[in-house]
Every structure is written in C-alpha cells, then in structure tokens.
Amino acid sequence: MLSQNHQKDFQEGQLYFQSGRQQEAYKIARQLLSLYPKDISLLLFTSKVTLSLQLFEDSIAHAIKATEIAPDRADIHLCLAECYAISSQWIKSEMTLDKVAALENIDFQILDSIASLYSLCNRYEKALKTISYALELKPNNAKLIYNMAIQQRFLGKIEDAEKSLNQVIELDPNNTEAIYILSGLRRQTKELNHIPHITAERNRLKNNHQAVIQLNYALAKEYEDLGEWEKSFEALSHGAKAKRETFKYNSAQNIKILQRTAILQSKAYLSTLVKSCHKEGPIFILGLPRTGSTLVDTIISSHKDVVSAGELPDFPKYFIAQINKLHENNKIYNQDKMALSLNIDFQELGENYIKSVTGKIGSHRYFTDKLPFNFQYCGMIKRALPKAKIIHVKRDPMDSCYSIFKALFLSPYPYSYNLEELAQYFIAYYRLMDHWREAMEGDILDVNYEDVIRDHEAETRRIIDWCGLEWDPACLDYRNTHKAITTLSAPQVRKDIYSSSIGKWRHFEQQMEPVRNALEKAKIIFK
C-alpha cells in the first residue's frame, strides 16, 4: 500500500494525465512503480499512461502483470483488451474480451465497455450480444439501447435499429444523434416521416449548437426523401454552416499538400527501384467519400477469398511513423517532411502495415482496405506494396460534391462543409488522380459508380478480374451479405441496385452554382 506521501504523488500524476501532460505523469508512474511493483492501481495507471504515449509493449506488459495479480477482476482484463485493441491487435483483444465476458457478476457498465471494444475490433455480433446481456441487468437504459441500435444498423438489422432508436428518443428526448441516425435508416414518405418532430426539437434546442447541426442534417435528409428540394437544401446549408463553425481548417494548406505530392512523386521518381514488401493480398479502395466505395467494397468482400478490413488508418499511420523515424536522424529535413518521405524504408512500411492488418483480421490471402483518403498515398502504396491492387472509385463530379456536402461525417473531412472549400479540394483531388494515372500507368483501376449501377455484372466481373481473383457468383449477390457495414451508406448498400442518386445534384443547380463555376473554370467535365 502506498505511503501517504506517495499517495499524494500518485494523485499528482493522475492530475497530470487528466490535463494531457502524459510525459510528466509517466515520470511519476515509473518512480512509484519501482517502489511498488505489485500495486494494481499503479500498474493500471501506468498501462493507461503508456498507452496514451503509444508505448504499446510497455502498456500491455503492465496490464498483463495486473491480470496475473488479480485474475478475477473484470476491469483489469478490460484494460488489457483495450491495450490490444488500440495497438491494432484485434484478435488478442477479442480473446481477452471473451475471457472477461465469461466472468461472473459483471455489472452492466463493464458489459457496455466490453461491447464498445468488440465494436472497435469489428466484432459487431459479439458487441450486440454483450449489450443485450447488459440490458437484462439495466433495462430501459437509453445509452445501452442507443449502443445496441448502432450495432443493429451495422449488421443490417434496420427494423430492429429503428425500434431501438425510437425507444432511445422516448427515454432521452435530448439525444439528437439518435434522431439524426433514425432519419437515415430508411426512405421517408409523406405518410411516415419525422419532420414535425425534428422541426419542433430544432426550435426547442436552438441554443444547443451540436443539436442544431444534427437536427438540420436530419431535416435535410427527410425533406430530400419527400422531394422538397428547397427546404432540404436550406436545412442542409444551416447544418453545414453550423458544423463549419466548430473547427479551424486551412484550405490552401491542404490543397498545397496534394499539389506538392504530385511534384515530389514524379513518374521518374516512382520508376526507380526500391526495396519493398512483396506480400500479395491488399486491395486498396480509395477516392473521395460518398462516391460508391462502400458498394465496391461490399461486392469484392462478398468473394469467398476476401475479407473486408474496413476503413483502416494503418497505412497513413505507419507512413507518418516512418517519416518521423527518419526525421529524428536527419534534422536537415526539419522544415520539409514531405521531401523526407521520399527516402523512408518502404519495405519496413509495407511489412508494418501487413503485420498490423494481420493482427486485426487474422491471416487472409486477400483483404480490402477502403479508407477513402488513401488516394493521397497511391505512390507510396505502390512502392511499399508493389503487389497490392489499387481501385479508384469515382462518380460524376457534381453528384460527388453534392453527396459529400450533404453528409455529416464522423471522420474528419473538413473541406466538406463549405461549397467553395469543397470545390477547391475536389479540383486538387481530381488533378492528383490524373497525376497518378500518368505516373503509375496501368497500376490503378478506375471504377465509375454510374457504370456499376448501369451494367452491374460486367463491372463486377471487371473488378474481380483486376483483383486477380477467380469469379465468384456471390459477388453479384452482395446485398445478402451478413458482413457488417459501418459507413453512412450502410442502409442503402443492402438494397437492390438503384439509380435515383445519379444526377441528383440537378435538383439544386442554383444552390450548387459555386461548385459548378469552380469546376468549369478548372476544365473538369461533368454530365
């Protein structure tokens, strides 16, 4: 047990950690742990601190030691599972969570945490099952029911999700995120919609900024379903403006990065030989969000030999880690990390990526990674993983811009909430993809969303052939997939092929004029 003075030191370390001063917290934790190596509270605290510092091996080691001292404490095993999950070791995290879930007398909060980690590791069926157990202990808990609705939505249980979200709203009227998600579960009709309720809530919560954002996006979606185009765009504009006010974004700086990427990664540079990781299997599906990448991912991962890994942050993560590693030993590059990126260890980058993904999904010969903004890294992907397949999904530029503008993203796409910023980013993206096609001729398959809709079987066969896979008829029956879909388009992807989203921007020609003018000036062709 800690002495009184050391207890004060421990409290000071906790305050440091809570205020974001991890290094100072870590220093205190190490000092105390050297004196009290078997103190469970200290071990857990040190594990959390090292996890925040991305010292994953240390974090896991401290958590394992704590489990050895107190093998029956669910919270300690939960800490270890979190360490594994955050360090991309999803399989080990799942195994640890299974052990925790099997312990007796677990309270509903621990079960909710277990479910959250299952979900983080893409084990959505187990997450849903665990939340169901938690609700047996704590019925009518709005937070638990909301979390259950999210898993139901991921798994395509749309009617169940709708029922759950209605229950959440009844229990917690201020949960505007539930209202927003509910609006997107199905196509609304004049006879059955939530517009009166959403409008009333928007008026009631007009001083709640986050609520205003979510309710305006919900209202825009439902008005669009009803074909009330002006009302839809008006609500959308209010929501986007409110969202844009919540963060800082330097449009010029981000566009410059894309432009400089093309300059640095020239055709001549990309033609030079480099040591690489020659592992087969990765299939990168990239482009802008809301362009049909989820549809293409679902088609490919319906193949018996392919598993979808989802939107993985792994390649950018390890790419940046390589730059930082090289930067530490090359201070001359202090002001130009982009130039430094040309000289990283590409073989190590590829191997780290493969190792990380394997720790998440296990050993699969083929897997998809559909993180959209990997389009920035096409050149680096080809150098690190020359046998990887790259598929660029695109659609009509104006439809693409409208679809992006009307989305309320969980992930950071800061350019999407202002039409002028969106147009400029689209132009920069468009030109970078033109560069990749010229510099990496034959290495990228362009897939047009409209072609997938109009000639589904022919395009599916072309995609599967490009991936080097034998034909599997299951790819045409992707709508019946039992695999989870976690993106905004999850409800739509499970439906039959439909063309109603093609040309939808034309309902808003006047409102979308700033985008059209910018694209015309940039000589980007649209239909």
Side-chain angles (χ1 to χ4, degrees), residues 450-489:
E450 293 85 356
D451 292 340
V452 176
I453 299 301
R454 290 169 181 149
D455 197 349
H456 178 57
E457 182 171 348
E459 280 300 293
T460 298
R461 287 182 177 274
R462 186 172 76 97
I463 292 167
I464 297 303
D465 182 65
W466 168 264
C467 294
L469 299 165
E470 293 182 0
W471 174 245
D472 184 349
C475 296
L476 294 176
D477 195 30
Y478 69 91
R479 293 172 296 280
N480 294 320
T481 181
H482 296 295
K483 298 175 182 178
I485 303 173
T486 62
T487 60
L488 288 172
S489 55

Side-chain angles (χ1 to χ4, degrees), residues 405-418:
F405 185 63
K406 74 173 183 176
L408 181 56
F409 293 105
L410 292 177
S411 303
Y413 294 103
Y415 57 83
S416 67
Y417 302 103
N418 175 281

Side-chain angles (χ1 to χ4, degrees), residues 37 40 43-44 46-47 50 56-71 76-81 83-84 89 92 96 99:
I40 292 176
L43 284 167
L44 292 179
T46 308
S47 179
T50 49
F56 298 130
E57 291 184 8
D58 289 346
S59 181
I60 291 167
H62 293 310
I64 289 175
K65 188 171 182 179
T67 62
E68 292 170 348
I69 296 170
I76 297 176
H77 287 280
L78 195 62
C79 177
L80 176 59
C83 293
Y84 283 135
Q89 300 180 60
K92 288 184 177 181
T96 306
K99 291 179 181 178

Side-chain angles (χ1 to χ4, degrees), residues 31-314:
Q31 291 172 344
L32 291 176
L33 203 56
S34 67
L35 300 173
Y36 304 93
K38 294 185 177 181
D39 186 283
I40 292 176
S41 295
L42 270 177
L43 284 167
L44 292 179
F45 176 66
T46 308
S47 179
K48 290 179 180 178
V49 172
T50 49
L51 184 63
S52 71
L53 293 169
Q54 298 188 16
L55 301 173
F56 298 130
E57 291 184 8
D58 289 346
S59 181
I60 291 167
H62 293 310
I64 289 175
K65 188 171 182 179
T67 62
E68 292 170 348
I69 296 170
D72 295 327
R73 276 186 53 178
D75 62 321
I76 297 176
H77 287 280
L78 195 62
C79 177
L80 176 59
E82 182 181 15
C83 293
Y84 283 135
I86 300 300
S87 61
S88 299
Q89 300 180 60
W90 289 358
I91 294 174
K92 288 184 177 181
S93 181
E94 180 185 13
M95 293 171 62
T96 306
L97 291 169
D98 289 346
K99 291 179 181 178
V100 185
L103 294 174
E104 296 181 356
N105 301 319
I106 305 176
D107 66 32
F108 77 94
Q109 291 174 318
I110 292 289
L111 287 170
D112 187 36
S113 297
I114 293 171
S116 295
L117 286 175
Y118 271 139
S119 186
L120 180 63
C121 297
N122 289 4
R123 276 47 172 186
Y124 303 106
E125 288 282 6
K126 287 186 176 182
L128 182 56
K129 185 177 180 180
T130 305
I131 295 172
S132 297
Y133 289 154
L135 279 166
E136 290 177 8
L137 299 175
K138 196 74 172 178
N140 296 323
N141 181 286
K143 181 177 181 292
L144 289 176
I145 299 170
Y146 173 80
N147 290 342
M148 182 168 69
I150 298 303
Q151 307 308 318
Q152 290 166 335
R153 176 180 174 273
F154 289 167
L155 292 165
K157 302 176 185 293
I158 302 303
E159 290 184 5
D160 291 342
E162 188 168 11
K163 181 180 177 182
S164 297
L165 288 170
N166 278 319
Q167 190 177 356
V168 171
I169 294 164
E170 184 178 344
L171 292 168
D172 180 12
N174 291 330
N175 191 331
T176 53
E177 188 168 354
I179 297 174
Y180 166 68
I181 295 173
L182 180 64
S183 71
L185 288 182
R186 61 172 173 82
R187 185 177 181 83
Q188 309 300 317
T189 65
K190 291 187 182 298
E191 295 75 27
L192 187 62
N193 63 72
H194 311 97
I195 289 175
H197 177 245
I198 297 171
T199 303
E201 289 301 287
R202 187 177 62 168
N203 292 334
R204 183 176 72 86
L205 299 169
K206 60 184 179 182
N207 295 322
N208 182 324
H209 199 81
Q210 183 62 19
V212 167
I213 293 170
Q214 292 170 333
L215 292 169
N216 271 302
Y217 274 89
L219 203 57
K221 194 273 179 189
E222 300 217 358
Y223 274 132
E224 182 189 287
D225 285 350
L226 271 56
E228 297 192 34
W229 311 115
E230 289 191 10
K231 289 182 179 179
S232 175
F233 206 91
E234 181 183 9
L236 177 57
S237 297
H238 287 314
K241 183 177 183 295
K243 178 66 175 178
R244 183 63 184 85
E245 291 169 353
T246 64
F247 58 86
K248 294 181 179 180
Y249 170 63
N250 189 326
S251 178
Q253 183 179 16
N254 281 268
I255 289 169
K256 185 178 179 181
I257 289 172
L258 299 186
Q259 293 170 338
R260 190 136 192 273
T261 296
I263 294 170
L264 289 171
Q265 296 178 43
S266 64
K267 184 174 184 178
Y269 166 74
L270 293 174
S271 298
T272 59
L273 296 177
V274 66
K275 287 185 178 180
S276 307
C277 172
H278 290 272
K279 174 76 174 177
E280 288 187 333
I283 302 170
F284 289 88
I285 302 170
L286 45 78
L288 290 182
R290 308 294 293 159
T291 55
S293 58
T294 299
L295 173 60
V296 172
D297 178 54
T298 307
I299 290 170
I300 297 173
S301 62
S302 294
H303 193 286
K304 58 182 172 55
D305 294 330
V306 183
V307 63
S308 174
E311 297 188 0
L312 296 175
D314 298 53

Side-chain angles (χ1 to χ4, degrees), residues 395-396 399 450 454 499-508 527:
R395 66 190 296 188
D396 174 82
D399 272 334
E450 293 85 356
R454 290 169 181 149
S499 59
S500 59
S501 64
I502 297 175
K504 185 168 283 187
W505 75 272
R506 292 196 176 277
H507 294 295
F508 313 101
K527 299 176 183 177

